Amino acid sequence: MGEKARVAVVGAGLMGHGIAQVLAVAGHAVRVHDPAPAMLATLGDRIRRNLTDLGQDPQAADRVSAEPTLAAAVADAALVIEAGPENLALKRALFAEIEAAAPATAILASNTSVIPITQIMAGLDEPRRALGTHWWNPPYLVPLVEVIKTASTAAAAVEWTVALLTAAGKTAVVVAKDVPGFVGNRLQHALWREAIALVANGVCDARTVDTVVKAVFGRRLAVLGPLENADLVGTDLTLAIHETVLADLDRTPGPSPYLRALVAAGKLGMKTGEGFRRWSPEDQAALRRRVTEHLESLLAEGL
Ligand SMILES: NC(=O)c1ccc[n+]([C@@H]2O[C@H](COP(=O)([O-])OP(=O)(O)OC[C@H]3O[C@@H](n4cnc5c(N)ncnc54)[C@H](O)[C@@H]3O)[C@@H](O)[C@H]2O)c1
C-alpha cells in the first residue's frame, strides 16, 4: 500500500476512538471529529490508556489528531469512517457534509451496526465510493471488520478497503449484499431470538441459556464455525436435525413481547441492575473483566 493513507473518523465515542487507535497503530495519520468537546478533549488519553493496558506503545496516539470541525477532519482523507450515533437521518446528514468536504476520490464508510448502507448513502452524488465497514467492540480486541458492498459500490473501493484493513491486522470479510444486520448481527440475533423465546416459553431460565451456550458450542465457536460444524457432523445429519427442530424454533417476526415487557418495566440490564437477570456491581465488573481477558488471550494466541 506504499505510503499510509490518511484516514478520518467522524464520531469519537466507544467505536470511533477504538477504530482511530487501530489505524494509528498501523501507521496511519488519523483525524477525528466529534461535535462534543469532551469527546475530543479526552480522545488522546483514552487511546493512550488502552494502549498502555494492552502493553503497546502509547506513542501511536500521537498520530491521532482531534479536529473541532468535520471539514478539517476529512479535507485530505483517503478514507472517511463514520462512527456517529445509530440514527439514519443523522447519518444521512453527516454523509452529505462529508461528501461536500472530502476529496472526490475518498472512500466513504459507515460503521453502522445494522442500518443498510444503501439507505445511509442514498443522497450521495457518487455512491460508487460508499460502503460499510462494520467493526466490533472493542475494535482493538475483536479482529473482524465486515466490509459491506451496496449495489452501487465499485469493486475497486471494496478491494482497496479490504487491503487497508488487512494491512492494519484486521480480519476483513466482504459482505456482497447490503442486508440489514449484515452477516454477524444476523447470526447473533437469530440466536438471541431463540434464547429469549426459550425463557419466555418457560423451557429454562436465562442463566441456563447462557450456561448452555458457554459450556457447549460457545467453547468451539472460536475455532469451528457453524458450517464447518455441519460438514464435520455431516450434511445428512444436519438435514435430519433440521427436519425435526426447525419448525419448532421461534419465528416471531418482530421483537419478543417478553423483551418489550422488560424494557417497559425499566429492566434495561446492567445499567439498571436488572434485565434478564439481576446484576450487582461486583458481578458486572467480574463479567466485563472476564470478557476482556478472554478476548486478550484469544488475540495473544493469534485467533
Ligand atoms: N457499541 C458497539 O458495540 C458498536 C459495535 C459496532 C458498531 N457500532 C456502531 O458504531 C456507531 C457508533 O457507536 P458507539 O457505540 O461508538 O456510540 P457512542 O455513543 O459511544 O459514540 C457516538 C459518538 O458520536 C458523536 N456524535 C453525535 N453527533 C454527532 C455528529 N453529528 N457528528 C459526529 N459525531 C457525532 C457523539 O458525541 C459520540 O461521541 C453506531 O452507528 C453504532 O451502531 C457500535
Side-chain angles (χ1 to χ4, degrees):
M1 189 155 282
E3 196 179 323
K4 296 284 181 176
R6 285 188 175 281
V7 181
V9 176
V10 177
L14 188 66
M15 295 305 292
H17 91 284
I19 293 169
Q21 174 184 323
V22 170
L23 295 171
V25 168
H28 297 273
V30 188
R31 298 192 202 280
V32 181
H33 168 68
D34 195 295
M39 299 311 284
L40 285 188
T42 56
L43 176 68
D45 284 346
R46 283 184 285 147
I47 293 177
R48 264 184 286 276
R49 196 172 53 233
N50 293 340
L51 290 170
T52 305
D53 288 348
L54 290 166
Q56 295 178 3
D57 183 359
Q59 275 189 354
D62 297 348
R63 280 193 282 276
V64 179
S65 69
E67 304 289 341
T69 70
L70 183 140
V74 305
D76 61 357
L79 169 66
V80 181
I81 299 177
E82 171 274 321
E86 186 78 346
N87 173 309
L88 176 59
L90 189 146
K91 286 188 189 296
R92 289 187 64 149
L94 268 178
F95 275 103
E97 247 188 277
I98 291 168
E99 189 174 44
T105 50
I107 307 271
L108 308 185
S110 175
N111 188 52
T112 176
S113 299
V114 292
I115 303 173
I117 305 301
T118 311
Q119 290 179 19
I120 294 172
M121 306 296 187
L124 291 187
D125 290 336
E126 190 41 274
R128 285 172 52 77
R129 59 186 173 126
L131 43 74
T133 51
H134 181 216
W135 300 61
W136 293 69
N137 182 46
Y140 44 87
L141 289 183
V142 180
L144 187 75
V145 183
E146 294 171 284
V147 178
I148 302 114
K149 184 180 183 309
T150 74
S152 308
T153 314
V158 173
E159 281 163 28
W160 185 90
T161 306
V162 167
L164 181 140
L165 293 169
T166 306
K170 305 312 291 179
T171 301
V173 296
V174 176
V175 181
K177 276 192 188 167
D178 183 24
V179 289
F182 319 123
V183 175
N185 269 325
R186 287 176 83 95
L187 290 169
Q188 184 162 241
H189 288 278
L191 177 62
W192 291 19
R193 175 165 69 178
E194 183 59 28
I196 295 170
L198 287 167
V199 175
N201 294 331
V203 177
C204 62
D205 62 11
R207 185 184 289 272
T208 302
V209 165
D210 290 334
T211 299
V212 168
V213 172
K214 289 187 287 186
V216 190
F217 59 85
R219 298 218 156 205
R220 300 193 193 112
L221 275 175
V223 291
L224 181 70
L227 300 183
E228 286 172 332
N229 201 344
D231 276 348
L232 187 70
V233 299
T235 53
D236 49 345
L237 176 59
T238 303
L239 175 62
I241 290 168
H242 282 197
E243 295 280 17
T244 304
V245 84
L246 284 198
D248 202 58
L249 295 184
D250 188 54
R251 272 175 287 169
T252 315
S256 163
Y258 188 96
L259 177 63
R260 287 193 193 281
L262 284 183
V263 174
K267 296 180 179 177
L268 304 183
M270 296 195 188
K271 60 188 159 195
T272 59
E274 185 175 354
F276 288 99
R277 286 160 60 182
R278 291 220 173 91
W279 293 96
S280 69
E282 296 75 30
D283 289 345
Q284 294 186 31
L287 181 136
R288 290 201 166 91
R289 204 168 43 244
R290 221 164 48 233
V291 173
T292 301
E293 285 172 4
H294 176 68
L295 291 175
E296 284 175 353
S297 71
L298 286 177
L299 210 59
E301 288 171 41
L303 289 172

